[in-house]
Amino acid sequence: MSIKRARVAEQIRMILSELLLREVSDPRLQGVTVTEVKLDAELMYADIYVNALGDEDRQDEVMEGLARAGGFLRREVGKRVRLRQ
């Protein structure tokens, strides 16, 4: 992974962690942490890996909460990360 891609991935991880901790009010997303961000070569697409504290039974509700908050999270990351695309 290039230095720039690693730096941008870390920046996105920090932004998402902060958003999930402070700004998302969905109770399904309490205790969710961002563990890793993988970017493609063009820095256009990211795979986000999360870990939810608690039972394994929470997986479905956490994924529903993330899908529901996806637009907000995408918009906020787009505002805070300065890239051309």
Side-chain angles (χ1 to χ4, degrees):
M1 182 183 292
S2 71
I3 294 173
K4 180 178 181 178
R5 196 165 30 162
R7 199 174 336 134
V8 172
E10 180 63 21
Q11 184 180 14
I12 290 173
R13 190 186 69 76
M14 295 298 292
I15 290 169
L16 285 173
S17 296
E18 181 180 324
L19 287 171
L20 288 171
L21 183 64
R22 295 197 173 104
E23 296 188 30
V24 175
S25 60
D26 192 342
R28 296 176 289 191
L29 298 179
Q30 297 298 320
V32 173
T33 58
V34 179
T35 57
E36 187 178 3
V37 175
K38 290 185 179 179
L39 292 169
D40 69 334
E42 291 84 26
L43 305 177
M44 293 282 292
Y45 299 100
D47 293 327
I48 311 295
Y49 297 90
V50 296
N51 186 14
L53 300 176
D55 301 336
E56 291 292 323
D57 302 335
R58 283 190 60 199
Q59 180 178 357
D60 292 334
E61 75 178 37
V62 167
M63 293 310 290
E64 287 175 11
L66 287 171
R68 180 112 173 133
F72 169 75
L73 295 172
R74 187 178 297 118
R75 183 177 63 243
E76 290 298 316
V77 169
K79 285 180 186 176
R80 297 176 189 200
V81 174
R82 293 290 168 216
L83 294 173
R84 281 186 228 179
Q85 295 132 343

